[in-house]
Amino acid sequence: DAGASGHALSYLRMHSAAKLTFTGRGLVRREIDNIDRLLRDAESTAIHVVALPEDMPLCEAQTVVERLADEPALPIGALLVNRRLNVGPADADVAIEQLAALADAPPARDALLATLRWRRARELREEQAVARFARVVARPVTSLPQLYRDDGGALSCGDLQPLVDRLATVCL
C-alpha cells in the first residue's frame, strides 16, 4: 500500500538518485546496489497496482502502469481492483421495475426503490470503469470484493481464506 502514485513512484526511483550521489565503493553504495538488484529482480519483486473501482483511482492506476511500463527495470505485478460491490442478481433491474409498478405499495417502497436504484447504478458504474481500465492497460485485472458479512458481523479468518488463496495465485 502506498500514498499518491506520484510519491510511490518517486520512492521507487530514489535509489537511482542515490547511485549518482554515492559513486564510491563504500557501505552506502553497496546498499544502494543491493536495493537496485532487489527492485529489478522479477523473481523476488513485483509492483502490484491496487485501486478502488472508481474513475479517479483507476485513472491514477493507469498512469502508474504506464510509468512502470516505461521503466522495464521495475517489474509490474498484479493489477487489483479492491472493494468491488458484490454483483446483484441478474434479474435485479426487472425486480426493481416490478417493485416500482406495484399498486398500493407501502410508503417505505419509495425509499427502498431509491436505495436499490442507487446501488444498481453504482454496480454499473464500477463495471464500466473497471472494463475501461482493463481495456486501456491491456493486462489482466483481478477484482476483489468489498468484504462484509450479510449479518453485519465481523469477518473471521475462515471468511478470508478463499480471498487469500485467490490473491496467492494472482500475486505470487
Side-chain angles (χ1 to χ4, degrees):
D1 189 21
S5 58
H7 293 116
L9 291 171
S10 294
Y11 296 145
L12 292 170
R13 292 188 197 108
M14 281 184 177
H15 71 284
S16 297
K19 242 180 171 178
L20 297 173
T21 304
F22 296 96
T23 57
R25 296 175 182 234
L27 175 64
V28 172
R29 179 55 190 236
R30 281 193 306 273
E31 287 304 312
I32 293 167
D33 290 341
N34 287 337
I35 291 168
D36 188 53
R37 273 192 299 280
L38 177 68
L39 287 175
R40 293 173 189 272
D41 181 6
E43 293 293 316
S44 63
T45 302
I47 313 295
H48 300 296
V49 180
V50 182
L52 293 175
E54 300 166 6
D55 288 329
M56 197 67 179
L58 289 170
C59 184
E60 192 168 333
Q62 175 188 335
T63 301
V64 169
V65 171
E66 290 167 352
R67 287 187 182 167
L68 288 172
D70 289 341
E71 297 186 38
L74 297 174
I76 301 173
L79 304 182
L80 304 167
V81 179
N82 198 15
R83 296 183 59 187
R84 289 288 306 271
L85 284 178
N86 295 318
V87 177
D91 59 353
D93 292 327
V94 172
I96 289 170
E97 292 316 310
Q98 287 175 343
L99 180 60
L102 285 177
D104 300 325
R109 181 206 46 187
D110 292 340
L112 178 59
L113 268 174
T115 302
L116 292 171
R117 286 179 173 148
W118 174 87
R119 188 178 190 297
R120 183 69 179 127
R122 182 168 170 206
E123 278 179 33
L124 294 173
R125 279 194 312 273
E126 280 188 10
E127 191 61 40
Q128 292 166 352
V130 172
R132 189 171 39 253
F133 174 65
R135 193 171 46 253
V136 170
V137 297
R139 298 174 56 91
V141 175
T142 300
S143 290
L144 304 173
Q146 183 165 342
L147 298 176
Y148 60 89
R149 284 186 17 176
D150 291 338
D151 64 4
L155 292 168
S156 69
C157 290
D159 295 324
L160 297 175
Q161 190 61 51
L163 181 60
V164 171
D165 294 342
R166 184 168 169 215
L167 279 171
T169 62
V170 173
C171 296
L172 298 181

